[in-house]
Amino acid sequence: MRRIPAALALLLACLFSLPGTARAADPIDAFSAARAARDSLKAAGDSLGARPDSLRIPRDSTTAAAPDTNPFAPPPRDATGAAFHYVTNYSVNRNLANWTQNLLVDTYWHSIHIDNKTDINFREDTERHTRSGQRTTNLRMDYLGGHGATAGFNLELERNNDGPIVNGRVRPTATFNNTAARLALGDSLYLLSQPLMLTVEGGGVSHDENSSERRVTSGRDFKQSLTWAFLNIRHVQFQLNENNAAARNTGALSAGGRDTSFHSHDFDIGAQTKFSVPWQSLVMTVNASHAKATHEQPTGGQLEQVGQQTESADGTVNMTLLGWATLTVNGRANRNLVTSNQELTRNYAARSKGGTGTLIYSLPYLGNFTSSLGDQVSENVRNLTVSARDSQTVEERNLLTTYTRQLGPDFDAQVNMAAILRRTRYGDPRQDQDNLNRRIGGTLNFHRDGLPITMAFQASQVLNHTVFLDATKSGQSSTDQLYSIEYDLTYKRGQDLSVTQSYIVSADANISDFETNPFVTPNNVYIKSTNYLTSIKENITRRASVEVNHNLRLSRSGSYDLDESGNRVFGESNAGQTNDLTLGVNYRFNAWLTAVASNHAQFLQQNSLDGNSNKVPTSRQRILEFNAGVTVNYDFSSTASLTGNFSRSARSDKFTPYTSGNQGKSRLTNQDFFLISSKLNLRFF
């Protein structure tokens, strides 16, 4: 195909970005009448980046960029070029039909870059007789001038509707229109011989929603960012980032409205230093930040003012010793304060500090060892002006260790351990609790060159111990232990045959140690399951392959009680069995057409035990599933391709309940449906 001139491609990009007259829609929940007017700027590309209830201040895109990097610069490329990419996808599944179209136009001419992305989606529910559609268009234009000057423009259009089908046409019961435009300017300067990146960004948004009632909002915002690496010598680097943002939003709900505004200021500074000596390498990094924001919004007929102030600092030291060991130490501290003059539940204060140390070493004869030790303390207080009872203090200490070693030429082993001790204290001491979580596990693998058999064995034990300090809450104290043992045996014959046999046993015991406490209702449960799994995969011919999977699962459960001597005894109360078998066949006609067929059968039995430990039927269930279809993956050329799937599925589910061992009336459910999905991908130039 001939190359279309860049000027024509630029014109196409602008034309495709214009709003069309096609009806579009989103799922019904997109038109919730509870959407607040203050979220209209959020819907316009997250220009504010903060919700009033959390007031999290985002980093501007230029903050994380290197000081000499232009955030609006297009990627390196030739002087001129263009790309036109179209994708359409149509699918039918039971009562739902969905049609999606995506259009991407990307053009550039010397310092000018224009790209446009348009997404259109239509969905129809034949059972509910509803149709919905959604159209989103995003147009972006960038200009990279000399001496680091940049300019960027972004336009977003969104049109949605949803409603029933009457006389073949949609009668919208909910509509949503959103338009946003933004302009950004940037320039790279040099101050004290160091690069300084300054950007200014502003825009507006209009929002029109009509569901159960009309909501019209509009807004504007402005942001300014500054990034300056004011010190950059061989071993020491300092970088300063500063951001300011201001926004105002006007909303009307049916009639009347109040202005909402948002102002924020964000300042952070970072430093990094590097030192190297013949026997070690040392890197130290320090970062500190300060952010402050205020938000005004109507609440309960009054103007609410919400403020947030955040400070954070962290430091890291990384040391490499003799080329085989690495030591990393990290320390951090954070503070967050949120206040409101109207809604007292917003008042919130949080402080945290902690540190982590990690040691890693690797030696040929000793193996690989990793160990991490951490300490964290955090304090959260809500309702600052009401009471300190709604407070929480958490102290946490953790230890993580992993050891891996090769045991001769045929075996390798790994042992890992993790322990977390958490101490939680509340304003109400009746909720105070301590928690210990510990995990110990290991794996052993066998593999020998030239032998088609591999074996793997693994075991783990998890302990979770929770204690409530108040006696009236001790009924919630518990000790939960989970054990698991597994082995896998695999046989492979080249690329044509693979057989795997697995055996898995797991047991979960939740035990309370306070049966003699009058406040406690015993809740001692034991569950054990055993799985026997077999998997066979074989390529019968060059075109055909077969796969068989079988899983037999046996389960038993019960509870622990105390006998007359005070000893804990286990009483089994339930037993179950599940048989699961799947058979699949694939046949490849050629490189782009494949047929697939599978059959799945599942049989489930649940039994209870009477006083003589005899099994009494509780339920029986049989599930049969069948699926057959073809998949297409055809390349017409290097710029056009078609993928598709056509299949038919059937399912039969029969459930039979039992009452006191007597069979009840069975319930039979049958399903039969087609699935059609196709995708056309075109790239014109």
Side-chain angles (χ1 to χ4, degrees), residues 40-47 137-139 153-159 177-183 202-207 219 221:
S40 59
L41 283 176
K42 175 76 174 179
D46 202 12
S47 57
T137 298
N138 188 298
L139 172 66
F153 174 75
N154 189 72
L155 176 66
E156 296 181 9
L157 304 173
E158 185 176 1
R159 303 290 183 263
N177 298 315
N178 195 78
T179 303
R182 305 190 59 77
L183 178 64
V205 58
S206 65
H207 176 102
D221 72 323

mmCIF file of all heavy atoms in Angstrom, residues 40-47 137-139 153-159 177-183 202-207 219 221:
data_model
loop_
_atom_site.group_PDB
_atom_site.id
_atom_site.type_symbol
_atom_site.label_atom_id
_atom_site.label_comp_id
_atom_site.label_asym_id
_atom_site.label_seq_id
_atom_site.Cartn_x
_atom_site.Cartn_y
_atom_site.Cartn_z
ATOM 1 N N SER A 40 -17.010 15.181 38.658
ATOM 2 C CA SER A 40 -16.996 15.466 37.230
ATOM 3 C C SER A 40 -15.590 15.717 36.710
ATOM 4 O O SER A 40 -15.231 15.284 35.615
ATOM 5 C CB SER A 40 -17.884 16.672 36.933
ATOM 6 O OG SER A 40 -17.418 17.798 37.641
ATOM 7 N N LEU A 41 -14.771 16.426 37.499
ATOM 8 C CA LEU A 41 -13.388 16.607 37.064
ATOM 9 C C LEU A 41 -12.628 15.295 37.101
ATOM 10 O O LEU A 41 -11.728 15.069 36.298
ATOM 11 C CB LEU A 41 -12.685 17.639 37.961
ATOM 12 C CG LEU A 41 -13.036 19.098 37.668
ATOM 13 C CD1 LEU A 41 -12.355 20.001 38.667
ATOM 14 C CD2 LEU A 41 -12.650 19.471 36.259
ATOM 15 N N LYS A 42 -12.990 14.408 38.020
ATOM 16 C CA LYS A 42 -12.360 13.089 38.059
ATOM 17 C C LYS A 42 -12.662 12.317 36.784
ATOM 18 O O LYS A 42 -11.805 11.625 36.241
ATOM 19 C CB LYS A 42 -12.871 12.332 39.287
ATOM 20 C CG LYS A 42 -12.404 10.894 39.400
ATOM 21 C CD LYS A 42 -10.997 10.836 39.859
ATOM 22 C CE LYS A 42 -10.581 9.401 40.105
ATOM 23 N NZ LYS A 42 -9.197 9.288 40.526
ATOM 24 N N ALA A 43 -13.882 12.454 36.265
ATOM 25 C CA ALA A 43 -14.250 11.743 35.045
ATOM 26 C C ALA A 43 -13.562 12.313 33.826
ATOM 27 O O ALA A 43 -13.509 11.679 32.788
ATOM 28 C CB ALA A 43 -15.759 11.806 34.840
ATOM 29 N N ALA A 44 -13.011 13.492 33.918
ATOM 30 C CA ALA A 44 -12.364 14.125 32.768
ATOM 31 C C ALA A 44 -10.886 13.784 32.729
ATOM 32 O O ALA A 44 -10.021 14.640 32.622
ATOM 33 C CB ALA A 44 -12.543 15.630 32.844
ATOM 34 N N GLY A 45 -10.577 12.521 32.832
ATOM 35 C CA GLY A 45 -9.181 12.104 32.712
ATOM 36 C C GLY A 45 -8.418 12.215 34.008
ATOM 37 O O GLY A 45 -7.199 12.304 34.008
ATOM 38 N N ASP A 46 -9.167 12.232 35.163
ATOM 39 C CA ASP A 46 -8.481 12.265 36.461
ATOM 40 C C ASP A 46 -7.561 13.466 36.560
ATOM 41 O O ASP A 46 -6.430 13.379 37.008
ATOM 42 C CB ASP A 46 -7.700 10.978 36.687
ATOM 43 C CG ASP A 46 -7.436 10.753 38.168
ATOM 44 O OD1 ASP A 46 -8.049 11.472 38.983
ATOM 45 O OD2 ASP A 46 -6.624 9.902 38.495
ATOM 46 N N SER A 47 -8.073 14.631 36.112
ATOM 47 C CA SER A 47 -7.231 15.820 36.113
ATOM 48 C C SER A 47 -6.860 16.267 37.507
ATOM 49 O O SER A 47 -5.799 16.839 37.731
ATOM 50 C CB SER A 47 -7.962 16.956 35.384
ATOM 51 O OG SER A 47 -9.213 17.205 36.000
ATOM 52 N N THR A 137 -13.572 9.215 22.669
ATOM 53 C CA THR A 137 -12.579 9.720 21.725
ATOM 54 C C THR A 137 -11.538 10.522 22.479
ATOM 55 O O THR A 137 -11.884 11.348 23.336
ATOM 56 C CB THR A 137 -13.231 10.610 20.653
ATOM 57 O OG1 THR A 137 -14.164 9.837 19.911
ATOM 58 C CG2 THR A 137 -12.186 11.162 19.700
ATOM 59 N N ASN A 138 -10.278 10.275 22.185
ATOM 60 C CA ASN A 138 -9.185 11.004 22.811
ATOM 61 C C ASN A 138 -8.249 11.496 21.723
ATOM 62 O O ASN A 138 -7.670 10.695 20.989
ATOM 63 C CB ASN A 138 -8.440 10.100 23.797
ATOM 64 C CG ASN A 138 -7.412 10.862 24.612
ATOM 65 O OD1 ASN A 138 -6.471 11.419 24.052
ATOM 66 N ND2 ASN A 138 -7.567 10.865 25.915
ATOM 67 N N LEU A 139 -8.114 12.801 21.619
ATOM 68 C CA LEU A 139 -7.238 13.431 20.639
ATOM 69 C C LEU A 139 -6.105 14.125 21.382
ATOM 70 O O LEU A 139 -6.342 14.891 22.321
ATOM 71 C CB LEU A 139 -8.010 14.455 19.795
ATOM 72 C CG LEU A 139 -7.171 15.331 18.860
ATOM 73 C CD1 LEU A 139 -6.526 14.496 17.767
ATOM 74 C CD2 LEU A 139 -8.011 16.449 18.266
ATOM 75 N N PHE A 153 -1.785 19.464 23.707
ATOM 76 C CA PHE A 153 -3.227 19.695 23.793
ATOM 77 C C PHE A 153 -3.920 18.344 23.808
ATOM 78 O O PHE A 153 -3.562 17.435 23.044
ATOM 79 C CB PHE A 153 -3.725 20.519 22.609
ATOM 80 C CG PHE A 153 -5.223 20.676 22.567
ATOM 81 C CD1 PHE A 153 -5.857 21.542 23.439
ATOM 82 C CD2 PHE A 153 -5.978 19.933 21.674
ATOM 83 C CE1 PHE A 153 -7.243 21.673 23.414
ATOM 84 C CE2 PHE A 153 -7.362 20.060 21.639
ATOM 85 C CZ PHE A 153 -7.994 20.938 22.510
ATOM 86 N N ASN A 154 -4.918 18.177 24.679
ATOM 87 C CA ASN A 154 -5.623 16.912 24.812
ATOM 88 C C ASN A 154 -7.120 17.181 24.884
ATOM 89 O O ASN A 154 -7.568 18.051 25.632
ATOM 90 C CB ASN A 154 -5.157 16.165 26.068
ATOM 91 C CG ASN A 154 -5.708 14.756 26.124
ATOM 92 O OD1 ASN A 154 -5.271 13.897 25.368
ATOM 93 N ND2 ASN A 154 -6.658 14.524 26.998
ATOM 94 N N LEU A 155 -7.885 16.437 24.080
ATOM 95 C CA LEU A 155 -9.341 16.573 24.045
ATOM 96 C C LEU A 155 -9.959 15.204 24.265
ATOM 97 O O LEU A 155 -9.597 14.230 23.585
ATOM 98 C CB LEU A 155 -9.800 17.143 22.707
ATOM 99 C CG LEU A 155 -11.316 17.244 22.497
ATOM 100 C CD1 LEU A 155 -11.930 18.254 23.468
ATOM 101 C CD2 LEU A 155 -11.641 17.622 21.051
ATOM 102 N N GLU A 156 -10.904 15.103 25.212
ATOM 103 C CA GLU A 156 -11.594 13.857 25.500
ATOM 104 C C GLU A 156 -13.093 14.046 25.353
ATOM 105 O O GLU A 156 -13.659 15.014 25.868
ATOM 106 C CB GLU A 156 -11.288 13.378 26.919
ATOM 107 C CG GLU A 156 -9.836 13.023 27.162
ATOM 108 C CD GLU A 156 -9.595 12.525 28.569
ATOM 109 O OE1 GLU A 156 -10.595 12.296 29.273
ATOM 110 O OE2 GLU A 156 -8.432 12.379 28.962
ATOM 111 N N LEU A 157 -13.734 13.117 24.645
ATOM 112 C CA LEU A 157 -15.176 13.136 24.453
ATOM 113 C C LEU A 157 -15.737 11.773 24.838
ATOM 114 O O LEU A 157 -15.208 10.740 24.433
ATOM 115 C CB LEU A 157 -15.539 13.440 22.997
ATOM 116 C CG LEU A 157 -14.990 14.737 22.399
ATOM 117 C CD1 LEU A 157 -15.309 14.794 20.921
ATOM 118 C CD2 LEU A 157 -15.558 15.946 23.113
ATOM 119 N N GLU A 158 -16.808 11.760 25.607
ATOM 120 C CA GLU A 158 -17.446 10.514 26.010
ATOM 121 C C GLU A 158 -18.951 10.672 25.915
ATOM 122 O O GLU A 158 -19.522 11.631 26.440
ATOM 123 C CB GLU A 158 -17.043 10.126 27.432
ATOM 124 C CG GLU A 158 -17.581 8.774 27.869
ATOM 125 C CD GLU A 158 -17.095 8.372 29.245
ATOM 126 O OE1 GLU A 158 -16.354 9.162 29.855
ATOM 127 O OE2 GLU A 158 -17.463 7.273 29.702
ATOM 128 N N ARG A 159 -19.603 9.715 25.232
ATOM 129 C CA ARG A 159 -21.049 9.747 25.043
ATOM 130 C C ARG A 159 -21.610 8.367 25.363
ATOM 131 O O ARG A 159 -21.224 7.375 24.765
ATOM 132 C CB ARG A 159 -21.398 10.122 23.595
ATOM 133 C CG ARG A 159 -20.824 11.450 23.143
ATOM 134 C CD ARG A 159 -21.516 12.612 23.841
ATOM 135 N NE ARG A 159 -21.028 13.901 23.353
ATOM 136 C CZ ARG A 159 -20.088 14.618 23.945
ATOM 137 N NH1 ARG A 159 -19.511 14.139 25.042
ATOM 138 N NH2 ARG A 159 -19.718 15.780 23.467
ATOM 139 N N ASN A 177 -22.917 12.505 29.074
ATOM 140 C CA ASN A 177 -22.040 13.191 28.128
ATOM 141 C C ASN A 177 -20.940 13.888 28.904
ATOM 142 O O ASN A 177 -21.204 14.588 29.892
ATOM 143 C CB ASN A 177 -22.821 14.228 27.300
ATOM 144 C CG ASN A 177 -23.899 13.585 26.455
ATOM 145 O OD1 ASN A 177 -23.649 12.574 25.818
ATOM 146 N ND2 ASN A 177 -25.092 14.156 26.469
ATOM 147 N N ASN A 178 -19.723 13.701 28.448
ATOM 148 C CA ASN A 178 -18.588 14.298 29.137
ATOM 149 C C ASN A 178 -17.605 14.832 28.102
ATOM 150 O O ASN A 178 -17.257 14.143 27.144
ATOM 151 C CB ASN A 178 -17.888 13.258 30.020
ATOM 152 C CG ASN A 178 -16.935 13.896 31.015
ATOM 153 O OD1 ASN A 178 -17.370 14.419 32.029
ATOM 154 N ND2 ASN A 178 -15.664 13.844 30.721
ATOM 155 N N THR A 179 -17.165 16.063 28.295
ATOM 156 C CA THR A 179 -16.203 16.695 27.393
ATOM 157 C C THR A 179 -15.115 17.341 28.237
ATOM 158 O O THR A 179 -15.414 18.055 29.202
ATOM 159 C CB THR A 179 -16.870 17.763 26.515
ATOM 160 O OG1 THR A 179 -17.942 17.159 25.781
ATOM 161 C CG2 THR A 179 -15.863 18.352 25.527
ATOM 162 N N ALA A 180 -13.870 17.102 27.872
ATOM 163 C CA ALA A 180 -12.745 17.666 28.617
ATOM 164 C C ALA A 180 -11.676 18.116 27.641
ATOM 165 O O ALA A 180 -11.401 17.440 26.643
ATOM 166 C CB ALA A 180 -12.165 16.645 29.598
ATOM 167 N N ALA A 181 -11.082 19.249 27.898
ATOM 168 C CA ALA A 181 -9.996 19.768 27.063
ATOM 169 C C ALA A 181 -8.898 20.294 27.976
ATOM 170 O O ALA A 181 -9.182 20.941 28.993
ATOM 171 C CB ALA A 181 -10.503 20.882 26.144
ATOM 172 N N ARG A 182 -7.635 20.016 27.614
ATOM 173 C CA ARG A 182 -6.516 20.425 28.437
ATOM 174 C C ARG A 182 -5.400 20.951 27.551
ATOM 175 O O ARG A 182 -5.172 20.465 26.440
ATOM 176 C CB ARG A 182 -5.986 19.261 29.277
ATOM 177 C CG ARG A 182 -7.027 18.596 30.141
ATOM 178 C CD ARG A 182 -6.391 17.628 31.103
ATOM 179 N NE ARG A 182 -5.436 18.285 31.972
ATOM 180 C CZ ARG A 182 -5.764 19.029 33.021
ATOM 181 N NH1 ARG A 182 -7.028 19.217 33.316
ATOM 182 N NH2 ARG A 182 -4.829 19.588 33.756
ATOM 183 N N LEU A 183 -4.677 21.920 28.068
ATOM 184 C CA LEU A 183 -3.534 22.512 27.376
ATOM 185 C C LEU A 183 -2.353 22.493 28.326
ATOM 186 O O LEU A 183 -2.472 22.871 29.498
ATOM 187 C CB LEU A 183 -3.838 23.948 26.937
ATOM 188 C CG LEU A 183 -2.694 24.702 26.241
ATOM 189 C CD1 LEU A 183 -2.339 24.016 24.923
ATOM 190 C CD2 LEU A 183 -3.055 26.160 26.022
ATOM 191 N N GLY A 202 -3.520 23.292 32.208
ATOM 192 C CA GLY A 202 -4.840 23.734 32.615
ATOM 193 C C GLY A 202 -5.878 23.252 31.639
ATOM 194 O O GLY A 202 -5.584 22.864 30.502
ATOM 195 N N GLY A 203 -7.150 23.230 32.080
ATOM 196 C CA GLY A 203 -8.201 22.773 31.196
ATOM 197 C C GLY A 203 -9.558 22.904 31.827
ATOM 198 O O GLY A 203 -9.721 23.411 32.939
ATOM 199 N N GLY A 204 -10.571 22.450 31.085
ATOM 200 C CA GLY A 204 -11.946 22.519 31.548
ATOM 201 C C GLY A 204 -12.690 21.255 31.186
ATOM 202 O O GLY A 204 -12.277 20.479 30.326
ATOM 203 N N VAL A 205 -13.839 21.059 31.843
ATOM 204 C CA VAL A 205 -14.633 19.870 31.621
ATOM 205 C C VAL A 205 -16.103 20.227 31.791
ATOM 206 O O VAL A 205 -16.460 21.082 32.607
ATOM 207 C CB VAL A 205 -14.236 18.750 32.619
ATOM 208 C CG1 VAL A 205 -14.411 19.209 34.051
ATOM 209 C CG2 VAL A 205 -15.044 17.493 32.360
ATOM 210 N N SER A 206 -16.947 19.603 30.976
ATOM 211 C CA SER A 206 -18.396 19.724 31.134
ATOM 212 C C SER A 206 -18.976 18.328 31.254
ATOM 213 O O SER A 206 -18.524 17.391 30.594
ATOM 214 C CB SER A 206 -19.020 20.450 29.947
ATOM 215 O OG SER A 206 -18.864 19.695 28.761
ATOM 216 N N HIS A 207 -19.985 18.195 32.094
ATOM 217 C CA HIS A 207 -20.521 16.894 32.463
ATOM 218 C C HIS A 207 -22.033 17.016 32.500
ATOM 219 O O HIS A 207 -22.571 17.859 33.213
ATOM 220 C CB HIS A 207 -19.945 16.513 33.831
ATOM 221 C CG HIS A 207 -20.487 15.235 34.394
ATOM 222 N ND1 HIS A 207 -19.788 14.063 34.366
ATOM 223 C CD2 HIS A 207 -21.653 14.947 35.016
ATOM 224 C CE1 HIS A 207 -20.501 13.117 34.964
ATOM 225 N NE2 HIS A 207 -21.629 13.640 35.364
ATOM 226 N N GLY A 219 -16.349 22.414 35.122
ATOM 227 C CA GLY A 219 -15.233 22.752 35.986
ATOM 228 C C GLY A 219 -14.010 23.159 35.205
ATOM 229 O O GLY A 219 -13.950 23.036 33.983
ATOM 230 N N ASP A 221 -9.463 23.572 35.927
ATOM 231 C CA ASP A 221 -8.378 23.350 36.862
ATOM 232 C C ASP A 221 -7.077 23.865 36.254
ATOM 233 O O ASP A 221 -6.984 24.127 35.050
ATOM 234 C CB ASP A 221 -8.268 21.870 37.242
ATOM 235 C CG ASP A 221 -7.727 21.027 36.096
ATOM 236 O OD1 ASP A 221 -8.075 21.316 34.943
ATOM 237 O OD2 ASP A 221 -6.954 20.093 36.357
#
